């Protein structure tokens, strides 16, 4: 409520807010930077969310294997998600360095010249999407909990009927995992809309190059704390909140068609 009130004012944070009406909101629709940041954020979400869910599901299936030392494998697969985003961003800056980075050294073994992955807008978005996948361990643990709740009797009955591994996965595992998939999807979309840290740290200047990593939250942050336009930043925050609620509602509405909350006997 406070953000909504502030969004209707001109406020620097140092002086008293002055009534500004809906000018902050009308300004958003004519501000090209807002359009660029929103497009970058949606571009990130469209690729990072489905790729992340697929990787998390693959990790969960690997964690669910009944082999010796499975707890050690689970720990190893989960460990990258414990690294804070700001630390991970600095790690990737070193790994991708065109002069001494490990990734370019590896590519050099195959005759590939050194690449500056952070010099273009598309390249840096690809790097940030790749970075996001190392946090898939959190969603993988939730998928693993869902896998452990699938009754073994269903698999036994399917085997007796002659169903192979692929058929069992798509006919039993996936339908019963759909509630977990819905939960992970909403979490992933929420996190994608709020992507901030990599866009601030990885490029040489926040949001660069050429605004290629200027995400919506980064633009909001800069307006609030670099340009002292807290009223405008609050308007950006309110719109982000509304968009997040709308997307969550849309996902819930669509989920009625594919989410199964029980086993039909």
């Amino acid at each position: 409520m406070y953000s909504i009130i502030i969004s209707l004012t001109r406020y620097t944070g140092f002086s008293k807010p002055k009534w500004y009406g809906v000018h902050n909101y009308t300004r958003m629709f004519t501000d090209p930077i807002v359009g660029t940041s929103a497009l970058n954020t949606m571009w990130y979400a469209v690729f990072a969310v489905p790729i992340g869910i697929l990787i998390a599901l693959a990790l969960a299936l690997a964690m669910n294997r009944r082999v010796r030392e499975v707890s050690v494998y689970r720990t190893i697969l989960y460990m990258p998600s414990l690294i804070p985003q700001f630390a991970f961003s600095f790690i990737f800056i070193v790994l991708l360095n065109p002069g001494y980075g490990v990734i370019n050294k590896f590519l050099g073994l195959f005759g590939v010249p050194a690449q500056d992955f952070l010099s273009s807008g598309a390249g840096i978005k690809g790097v940030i999407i790749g970075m996001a996948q190392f946090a898939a361990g959190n969603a993988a643990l939730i998928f693993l909990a869902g896998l452990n709740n699938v009754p073994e009797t269903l698999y036994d009955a399917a085997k007796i009927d002659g169903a192979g591994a692929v058929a069992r996965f798509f006919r039993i595992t996936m339908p019963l995992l759909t509630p977990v998939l819905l939960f992970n999807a909403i979490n992933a979309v929420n996190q994608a809309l709020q992507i901030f840290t990599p866009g601030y740290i990885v490029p040489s200047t926040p949001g660069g190059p050429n605004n290629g990593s200027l995400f919506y939250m980064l633009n909001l942050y800069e307006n609030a704390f670099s340009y002292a336009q807290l009223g405008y930043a609050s308007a950006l925050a309110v719109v982000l909140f509304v968009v997040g609620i709308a997307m969550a509602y849309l996902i819930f509405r669509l989920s009625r068609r594919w989410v199964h909350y029980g086993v039909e006997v």
Side-chain angles (χ1 to χ4, degrees):
M1 291 300 298
Y2 181 74
S3 294
I4 294 173
I5 294 171
I6 292 298
S7 71
L8 299 173
T9 67
R10 179 184 290 174
Y11 183 44
T12 64
F14 301 100
S15 58
K16 290 184 178 180
K18 296 181 180 179
W19 180 255
Y20 203 43
V22 296
H23 290 287
N24 285 324
Y25 292 95
T26 56
R27 173 185 169 187
M28 291 177 56
F29 294 101
T30 58
D31 188 348
I33 297 299
V34 173
T36 299
S37 63
L39 185 62
N40 286 338
T41 303
M42 294 307 298
W43 200 92
Y44 170 84
V46 165
F47 288 95
V49 171
I51 293 174
I53 288 177
L54 289 175
I55 291 177
L57 180 58
L59 289 177
L61 292 172
M63 292 177 177
N64 200 41
R65 303 288 294 177
R66 294 182 177 178
V67 294
R68 293 180 62 183
E69 294 89 23
V70 67
S71 59
V72 176
Y73 302 142
R74 289 176 179 175
T75 302
I76 293 173
L77 292 174
Y78 181 71
M79 280 180 64
S81 63
L82 296 176
I83 303 175
Q85 273 197 343
F86 73 91
F88 217 82
S89 298
F90 284 113
I91 291 172
F92 260 75
I93 291 174
V94 175
L95 292 177
L96 295 171
N97 186 281
Y100 55 81
V102 174
I103 293 178
N104 273 305
K105 293 292 185 183
F106 176 77
L107 294 176
L109 298 176
F110 302 95
V112 179
Q115 304 291 319
D116 189 355
F117 296 97
L118 307 180
S119 63
S120 66
I124 198 166
K125 279 195 283 284
V127 168
I128 294 174
I129 289 172
M131 288 174 53
Q133 309 317 315
F134 285 87
N138 289 318
L141 282 185
I142 299 173
F143 274 128
L144 179 61
L147 288 172
N148 289 331
N149 284 330
V150 178
E152 286 292 335
T153 53
L154 295 179
Y155 291 122
D156 295 336
K159 289 178 183 179
I160 293 173
D161 290 339
V166 175
R168 293 197 300 271
F169 177 78
F170 285 103
R171 297 285 184 173
I172 298 175
T173 306
M174 279 308 300
L176 294 181
L177 274 183
T178 49
V180 181
L181 179 61
L182 173 63
F183 178 82
N184 278 336
I186 292 177
N187 274 345
V189 169
N190 179 55
Q191 292 170 5
L193 292 178
Q194 299 182 66
I195 181 70
F196 169 80
T197 305
Y200 187 78
I201 295 178
V202 173
S204 55
T205 57
N210 299 321
N211 291 332
S213 61
L214 181 64
F215 298 111
Y216 191 92
M217 277 295 295
L218 179 55
N219 183 40
L220 189 158
Y221 170 86
E222 289 188 334
N223 275 286
F225 302 108
S226 297
Y227 311 139
Q229 298 183 14
L230 291 178
Y232 187 48
S234 295
L236 291 170
V238 170
V239 170
L240 179 62
F241 172 76
V242 172
V243 170
I245 293 295
M247 292 188 70
Y249 175 76
L250 179 62
I251 293 173
F252 269 114
R253 290 284 296 181
L254 295 176
S255 69
R256 298 178 181 180
R257 303 179 181 180
W258 54 272
V259 175
H260 306 278
Y261 291 100
V263 181
E264 295 183 1
V265 181

